[in-house]
Amino acid sequence: MRGFTWKRFWIPREGMLNLGDGGYLPDPEGEWTRHYNPDVVPFESIEALPFLGLLGEPGMGKTYALQSLRKSIEAKVSDEGGRSLWSDLREYGDEGRLVEDIFECDSFKEWADGDHVLHLFLDSLDECRMRIGNLAAVLLSKLRAAPCDRLRLRIACRTADWPESLERGLRESWGSNSVGVWELAPLRRSDVSQAAASSGLNSDAFLEAVGRAEAVPLAIKPITLQFLISTFGKLGTLPSNQATLYLEGCRHLCEEKNESRRESGLVGALQASDRLAVAGHIAAVTAFANRAAVWVGGDSGAIPDGDVSVGSLADGSACVGDSKVRVTEEAVREVLGTGLFSSRGPNRLGWAHRTYSEFLAARHVLQQGMTLPQIENLFLQSDAQGKKLIPQLHGVAAWLGGMHRGFFNRVLDTDPDVLLRADVLSLDDSDRASLVESFLRMLDEQKVQFPGFESHQLYGKLVHPGLASQLRAFIFDKDRSVLARREAIDIAASCRAKELQEDLTAVALDNAQPTQVRIPAAWAVARFGDSEVRGKLRPLARGEAGDDPEDELKGCGLRAAWPEHLEAPEFFAILTLPKRENLFGAYKSFLRDGLVPYLSRDGLSEAVKWVAEQAKLGALHGAFEDLADDILLRAWDDLEFHGVLEPFAKAAAMRLDIWYTIGGEKLAKRITDKSAQDTSKRRRLIEQMVPLYTDVGKAVTSLCHYRTPLVRRGDVAWMLGRLQATKVEQEKRVWSRLILYVLDESNLEEVDGVVKACGHEKALSEEFSGLMWPVELGTTQADELRKRWVEIRRWDNGRGRERPLLSPPPQQRITKLLDAFEAGDPSKASK
């Protein structure tokens, strides 16, 4: 998609992809999310490979991804002394002209005759192959005749059209370790947000609409993202009918959007509606025969178990409205080349997203005109409890349940949990009421399984006018199972059933209720309760919840009551270390993200005092250590506010004394960076900390050494002023020792200032006695001065002089002088 400056990522063709960020690609460069997909990398991580096949489904934006990298790639290639050559193969329909323009051009010949590296980029291999059938053989022939040890070849191609013969030839000639085939990964949440904002939309509203419509699988592909953005721009929302949205999205994936192909007539033999019908046929076979991928290689007996061959799919016909389209091998291959499919390894293609196949398989069942008994025979199997849906078909059944009323009613009696994933928003209120009733009843009877923690998003679709009374009957009935009551509460929270907030508060505060019911009730009130109602959970926050072995009720109470119903002094007085440090539940969640963002400036002062006290008690570990980092980082930004600086200095001194740093790694780095940019703030902190030290040596170690050194070179003149301003002898000794440690002897102005001050500052004169007055060798004073000098030099070498680099650098200077000498101009060489 033009106009969007996304950073795209690549995944090995046979790699596994985790879309764990709510269906989006977790950021491969995020502090934590990079662990979701260790194989997903930016282009710079794979550019060292000599031969790269860069694949992408139609509409994934592989050409734009490479073009956006072109400037940085060319700059890097140039810096390394190489050259780059870019060619769009779609321009060629004749083998001779292609060879002449690429392999016989001046750039290629200069590389072949030289000793530099050539980076050769060939785009649109798939389109060129449609005109030059032997393209793979031509490329291999020319490459084998070239000095490819100095070549970096990058070939962009549609996934389904990647020639295995080319890959095989590259591996045979230059070794498998020199060849990599990578596929363009889907979009991140941030990419989609950026695209929406760049299109003039409210990005938060757009993302919310995408999530509500369960359209994330369409949003992570540029071609269908554009469709969603356009639809949202026109309507201000997305259609509530999920099936309609998916139908249009899949239709977009079946259309040929490439302008060059359309202008050249290379659009295939099928219309988009025909491709959609054939795709439904493929979806039905892969779903009902439980096939993982389609084998597109030869039928030589090498078809992996669990795959289906193109030949096996080429059978019968598919419905297109009132007509039919024949499902031939050519038709199957044409559909496999659309954006509906992606690579599963050499000669294997699978559905680009599971939901595409499930939707199209359900639609195919309807289009084939199957009767309800036929559908039941296809989807249901008998077990000890009667007939149940076949587990592998749950996804297809969910789609079909939203499209077929009779099938919906049938599944309602057997697997209502599956229907939670159906297009519930397209159902009427009575259907949603029936689904809620059946689901909770069968949970109570233990006839369906717990739907999983993603259920909150599913539950949000169950809103209907009588929901509150329906849920109340389960929430207060102690004869119901804990699981049924808990899920009823979660439904209330997901649907923000305000009518139940008082009821949920009563449950949360009732010590006679099971803890497994009280916790979700308290969490629900914290999520959507009105301020007055949330305030009623203060007893939970204060630890008056009764049995609370994992602090879950405490965490819910704090989130509900803070900051409106708890003053900062009371709040910090009731904070305790988590009872289970390895549990990331409601309490630790609150400590991580529910406390600091809501601190007022008055509360910030109390928070920093709390950090200092906890440091004194040695309690800053685990969750408290992270919380202290967050508080101090926030306090650093508001250090000038009354009541913050003094406790901050005490907390910093305490932490430096115990942990040799003001905070954890993240805080230490950020405070060091920020203090370098804000000299005034840093010096105010030093001035506040100096009176805290009774040990001069410890003051120097804390303020000059460790991981967060505060005193820097350039502070000498300022410290001389502080030294002369204070009347406290101990403070004078600390200032004097700090000046000794950071004085730059090559800075005559600083040295002169120290010499003058020594005339009337006794403590400073004593520190610099070795420089100001003669010292007899072999005395205790000489030994002490020598020891201190070694220590200062060691510190000085570790910190560096922070002097500016020579310009021009020594290497360039020497080269210039040597050139002048060789040119016979000794006058220049001597300068």
Side-chain angles (χ1 to χ4, degrees), residues 115-137:
D115 58 2
H116 61 275
V117 174
L118 177 67
H119 292 249
L120 177 59
F121 288 82
L122 303 178
D123 194 10
S124 305
L125 179 77
D126 49 283
E127 194 168 336
C128 189
R129 284 188 68 209
M130 300 177 75
R131 301 185 182 95
I132 305 176
N134 64 335
L135 178 60

Side-chain angles (χ1 to χ4, degrees), residues 157-459:
C157 180
R158 286 189 175 182
T159 301
D161 297 323
W162 174 249
E164 296 299 329
S165 61
L166 175 60
E167 181 181 346
R168 186 169 55 252
L170 293 173
R171 294 185 186 278
E172 289 173 355
S173 298
W174 292 282
S176 293
N177 292 336
S178 297
V179 182
V181 181
W182 294 71
E183 193 167 17
L184 193 60
L187 299 175
R188 300 169 292 176
R189 184 188 299 269
S190 59
D191 298 327
V192 175
S193 177
Q194 177 200 337
S198 299
S199 301
L201 305 180
N202 181 314
S203 57
D204 291 338
F206 178 73
L207 288 175
E208 183 180 347
V210 169
R212 188 169 55 248
E214 299 181 50
V216 174
L218 300 176
I220 58 177
K221 296 170 71 75
I223 188 172
T224 40
L225 173 60
Q226 185 64 71
F227 153 67
L228 294 177
I229 287 176
S230 176
T231 302
F232 188 89
K234 293 175 183 177
L235 305 177
T237 186
L238 293 176
S240 59
N241 190 306
Q242 190 183 8
T244 300
L245 194 64
Y246 255 75
L247 179 61
E248 285 303 309
C250 290
R251 193 187 306 279
H252 274 267
L253 293 174
C254 285
E255 292 176 349
E256 181 54 70
K257 301 289 187 179
N258 186 286
E259 293 180 8
S260 175
R261 285 189 174 226
R262 293 209 309 267
E263 291 171 357
S264 304
L266 302 176
V267 294
L270 302 177
Q271 300 291 326
S273 56
D274 297 336
R275 289 180 176 181
L276 202 59
V278 174
H281 172 86
I282 299 172
V285 173
T286 55
F288 298 124
N290 196 24
R291 299 303 179 192
V294 179
W295 176 258
V296 296
D299 296 333
S300 58
I303 302 176
D305 292 339
D307 284 8
V308 59
S309 68
V310 172
S312 298
L313 289 170
D315 180 37
S317 60
C319 295
V320 184
D322 295 331
S323 60
K324 293 182 180 292
V325 58
R326 288 188 60 218
V327 184
T328 64
E329 187 168 330
E330 292 76 16
V332 171
R333 289 189 180 276
E334 185 173 322
V335 172
L336 292 174
T338 68
L340 292 169
F341 293 87
S342 60
S343 177
R344 292 296 181 273
N347 290 313
R348 301 179 73 227
L349 292 170
W351 291 95
H353 199 280
R354 173 181 51 81
T355 56
Y356 302 164
S357 65
E358 292 171 346
F359 165 71
L360 290 171
R363 181 172 180 268
H364 182 78
V365 168
L366 284 182
Q367 289 192 314
Q368 292 300 109
M370 296 178 67
T371 64
L372 182 58
Q374 290 174 321
I375 295 174
E376 291 177 2
N377 287 335
L378 187 61
F379 280 87
L380 300 173
Q381 64 180 4
S382 298
D383 65 8
Q385 296 180 338
K387 285 195 172 184
K388 300 277 287 183
L389 284 173
I390 297 171
Q392 293 85 346
L393 298 180
H394 279 185
V396 182
W399 280 104
L400 189 59
M403 302 174 182
H404 192 295
R405 173 57 65 87
F407 186 65
F408 173 88
N409 291 331
R410 182 66 179 84
V411 177
L412 194 64
D413 296 329
T414 61
D415 300 86
D417 53 318
V418 173
L419 293 176
L420 291 173
R421 289 184 278 162
D423 190 6
V424 176
L425 291 176
S426 64
L427 302 175
D428 59 31
D429 291 338
S430 63
D431 287 333
R432 284 197 286 274
S434 298
L435 177 55
V436 171
E437 183 67 30
S438 178
F439 173 60
L440 292 177
R441 175 175 50 79
M442 297 192 76
L443 274 177
D444 185 44
E445 298 171 358
Q446 299 183 349
K447 291 183 178 180
V448 296
Q449 297 180 343
F450 171 59
F453 291 103
E454 75 281 0
S455 59
H456 289 164
Q457 183 175 347
L458 303 176
Y459 290 166

Side-chain angles (χ1 to χ4, degrees), residues 427-621:
L427 302 175
D428 59 31
D429 291 338
S430 63
D431 287 333
R432 284 197 286 274
S434 298
L435 177 55
V436 171
E437 183 67 30
S438 178
F439 173 60
L440 292 177
R441 175 175 50 79
M442 297 192 76
L443 274 177
D444 185 44
E445 298 171 358
Q446 299 183 349
K447 291 183 178 180
V448 296
Q449 297 180 343
F450 171 59
F453 291 103
E454 75 281 0
S455 59
H456 289 164
Q457 183 175 347
L458 303 176
Y459 290 166
K461 304 183 295 182
L462 297 174
V463 177
H464 65 85
L467 181 64
S469 60
Q470 192 177 31
L471 296 177
R472 188 178 285 112
F474 279 85
I475 292 171
F476 278 100
D477 190 346
K478 294 184 179 181
D479 292 331
R480 300 284 188 177
S481 71
V482 167
L483 179 59
R485 297 180 68 194
R486 190 181 67 197
E487 295 310 298
I489 292 170
D490 285 344
I491 293 173
S494 297
C495 295
R496 306 184 72 83
K498 290 275 190 178
E499 307 96 314
L500 293 173
Q501 57 181 326
E502 292 283 1
D503 302 287
L504 294 173
T505 301
V507 171
L509 295 173
D510 186 354
N511 290 353
Q513 295 282 355
T515 304
Q516 303 97 309
V517 175
R518 296 179 67 197
I519 293 171
W523 181 251
V525 174
R527 283 177 64 190
F528 74 89
D530 295 332
S531 175
E532 182 181 352
V533 176
R534 285 187 283 107
K536 295 179 180 180
L537 294 188
R538 283 181 61 194
L540 303 185
R542 292 196 297 256
E544 302 166 3
D547 186 28
D548 190 19
E550 296 176 340
D551 293 317
E552 291 296 273
L553 288 170
K554 183 184 185 75
C556 294
L558 285 168
R559 192 173 289 274
W562 173 256
E564 295 175 85
H565 306 286
L566 285 170
E567 295 293 333
E570 178 189 6
F571 172 81
F572 285 102
I574 61 178
L575 285 188
T576 55
L577 280 167
K579 295 171 184 171
R580 277 189 56 190
E581 189 60 48
N582 62 342
L583 172 68
F584 188 78
Y587 187 36
K588 286 190 72 173
S589 170
F590 171 78
L591 294 178
R592 187 187 71 172
D593 58 36
L595 193 166
V596 176
Y598 304 100
L599 272 173
S600 65
R601 282 184 167 176
D602 290 332
L604 184 59
S605 176
E606 292 294 330
V608 180
K609 291 177 183 176
W610 176 84
V611 173
E613 181 63 26
Q614 297 304 310
K616 182 178 179 180
L617 296 173
L620 289 184
H621 53 81

